[in-house]
Amino acid sequence: MKQISVLIKPASSLCNIRCKYCFYANVSALREVRSFGKMTSEVAEKMITNIFQDLADGDVLTLAFQGGEPTLAGLSYFEHIVALVAAQVKQIDVHYAIQTNGMVINEQWCRFLKVNNFLVGLSIDGHPLYHDLNRIDPKGSGTFHRVMLTKQLFDTYDIDYNVLCVLTAPLAKEAKKVFQFIQKEQISYIQFIPCLSDLDTTEVSNYVLTPKGFSVFYHQLLTDWLAALEEGQAISIKLFDDIINLLVAKRVTSCGMLGNCQVQYVIEADGSVYPCDFYVLDDYRMGYIQDETLGQLFTQKNAKRFICEKPKLAETCQTCPFLSMCRGGCKRMKDAMYVDQDGDCGYAALLHEFLPQIDHILATIEEQY
């Protein structure tokens, strides 16, 4: 049984808000074509056909939609995708996911997401002040209130969703406030995404997370999370879940966690395919999904080059007790959460705190369930 995940950008880099730290705005600006517009029905049909070519009965397929802002492709686009999948003859277990800023979600969207069992990632930056500072609309106004209305709709319609929070350098200093917000809003699942520097920059902006900031944030977050756990409140923090899965279940649940890049199959709106969401660049284009299957694209030289490109490990890593469960981590995240210029590693600092408590954590969780 194969398990394949595909990340689709149906509206390319188009977006209806202007986040100050948007990494994909930077990535798309480095291409010859900044935006490929919205995916046509013809490309969508050939995409689904060729994705299914490499699958067999019983396989598992996850179709995840991201942007830009994927909802700008329109609800009819997603209805068409679901219909195309349903028309396939092979018996494939298909899962759907979408990441959204929540700006256009209404009751019609919610009914569709619920009926088709979409897992939704809703972007909320962990605190009203910091959200409105960075996640602004084209007129420069904050979007927090509008996104919270979407969260209320998700709760009303019992949508399966988690919160995606971009962890900027300023927000990293406010872990306690962030956790209080999580508790107040009864958020059960949250993922913190390190804010990255632009690919082509030599200067570090005030938004970019550093290993020191990562360490400070997760030290406080772990403290508050453990206290809540003791009181019977189990909140899923993605990174904590990933560490537990790796050590206990021996499963890798986060790309790049062991320092090895894998081809992710990122499909842009024109059908072009890339190996990683961080590197949707002309130099890494593997081909077009309307022309080849995923299996054929995997054999392209750009796919092999991407997998083989590994940055040199820092000297600190060579003697790190966690080397075997990290190996330098994700190459795109290295400046945000791993080893800094002083040789200090934010991720190692977290593991030093987390690992000695893992048995107690597991026992506490087991008691509650």
Side-chain angles (χ1 to χ4, degrees):
M1 180 185 74
K2 295 192 297 291
Q3 296 189 22
I4 295 177
S5 295
V6 180
L7 181 62
I8 302 166
K9 294 181 176 290
S12 192
S13 61
L14 299 176
C15 194
N16 48 5
I17 65 174
R18 302 291 182 266
C19 299
K20 296 178 181 179
Y21 48 59
C22 180
F23 87 89
Y24 203 65
N26 169 245
V27 169
S28 60
L30 297 176
R31 300 190 305 233
E32 185 176 338
V33 178
R34 181 187 289 264
S35 174
F36 298 106
K38 298 178 182 180
M39 183 178 288
T40 65
S41 295
E42 181 182 14
V43 171
E45 290 165 9
K46 291 181 177 178
M47 175 182 71
I48 296 300
T49 297
N50 278 350
I51 288 174
F52 271 74
Q53 283 291 322
D54 293 324
L55 299 174
D57 289 348
D59 287 345
V60 179
L61 170 66
T62 297
L63 297 178
F65 300 88
Q66 199 181 54
E69 173 52 37
T71 59
L72 294 184
L75 183 56
S76 61
Y77 167 85
F78 292 93
E79 292 171 334
H80 185 46
I81 290 291
V82 170
L84 289 171
V85 169
Q88 300 300 310
V89 176
K90 293 178 182 176
Q91 299 300 306
I92 308 299
D93 185 9
V94 180
H95 301 270
Y96 296 104
I98 186 171
Q99 181 175 338
T100 179
N101 57 33
M103 295 296 289
V104 303
I105 299 296
N106 55 23
E107 294 196 30
Q108 186 179 10
W109 270 100
C110 286
R111 287 191 290 269
F112 170 81
L113 295 171
K114 182 62 179 179
V115 168
N116 294 285
N117 298 312
F118 269 68
L119 171 63
V120 183
L122 179 63
S123 294
I124 307 175
D125 271 2
H127 189 279
L129 172 64
Y130 291 97
H131 182 106
D132 278 346
L133 279 174
N134 297 319
R135 303 186 67 84
I136 56 178
D137 66 19
K139 295 182 180 179
S141 300
T143 59
F144 179 79
H145 176 69
R146 178 65 188 86
V147 176
M148 292 305 290
L149 291 177
T150 293
K151 178 185 178 298
Q152 291 175 18
L153 276 176
F154 286 167
D155 290 333
T156 299
Y157 278 85
D158 195 26
I159 303 294
D160 190 9
Y161 74 96
N162 53 50
V163 168
L164 306 173
C165 174
V166 176
L167 185 58
T168 60
L171 190 62
K173 301 174 183 177
E174 305 289 354
K176 184 167 286 291
K177 290 182 180 179
V178 170
F179 196 76
Q180 289 171 347
F181 172 78
I182 293 171
Q183 291 179 303
K184 176 177 177 293
E185 296 298 332
Q186 298 181 323
I187 294 170
S188 300
Y189 303 90
I190 188 165
Q191 177 179 357
F192 294 98
I193 304 169
C195 184
L196 305 176
S197 60
D198 290 346
L199 280 168
D200 59 339
T201 188
T202 56
E203 299 179 2
V204 178
S205 78
N206 294 329
Y207 305 113
V208 174
L209 186 67
T210 64
K212 178 63 175 176
F214 177 94
S215 175
V216 169
F217 177 80
Y218 273 100
H219 167 74
Q220 185 62 55
L221 187 71
L222 179 61
T223 300
D224 293 337
W225 180 74
L226 288 170
L229 192 61
E230 292 285 355
E231 296 174 0
Q233 186 179 19
I235 298 171
S236 171
I237 308 291
K238 179 65 164 61
L239 183 55
F240 296 166
D241 292 345
D242 290 336
I243 294 172
I244 291 172
N245 282 327
L246 181 63
L247 295 177
V248 179
K250 309 300 181 185
R251 291 190 295 116
V252 177
T253 52
S254 178
C255 180
M257 193 173 188
L258 292 181
N260 297 317
C261 288
Q262 298 175 338
V263 171
Q264 291 184 333
Y265 300 117
V266 181
I267 304 179
E268 256 287 2
D270 67 334
S272 54
V273 185
Y274 307 81
C276 174
D277 193 30
F278 292 135
Y279 296 93
V280 185
L281 301 166
D282 296 338
D283 288 345
Y284 287 99
R285 186 187 299 118
M286 300 187 299
Y288 292 84
I289 191 61
Q290 57 265 51
D291 299 329
E292 299 176 277
T293 69
L294 295 179
Q296 291 168 332
L297 290 164
F298 183 79
T299 64
Q300 300 301 315
K301 63 179 181 180
N302 276 350
K304 296 177 181 178
R305 176 166 66 93
F306 176 77
I307 292 173
C308 293
E309 287 178 346
K310 295 183 180 180
K312 184 179 179 181
L313 286 177
E315 289 186 13
T316 302
C317 298
Q318 307 295 343
T319 57
C320 178
F322 310 115
L323 178 60
S324 63
M325 59 177 294
C326 172
R327 300 190 186 97
C330 170
K331 63 185 178 185
R332 186 67 177 94
M333 297 280 188
K334 61 184 181 66
D335 294 331
M337 60 180 282
Y338 297 105
V339 182
D340 63 17
Q341 294 179 340
D342 297 323
D344 296 322
C345 178
Y347 187 49
L350 170 61
L351 294 178
H352 272 294
E353 282 195 86
F354 193 93
L355 266 59
Q357 304 183 75
I358 194 165
D359 288 339
H360 176 66
I361 291 170
L362 292 173
T364 305
I365 293 174
E366 187 175 343
E367 286 178 5
Q368 296 180 24
Y369 292 92

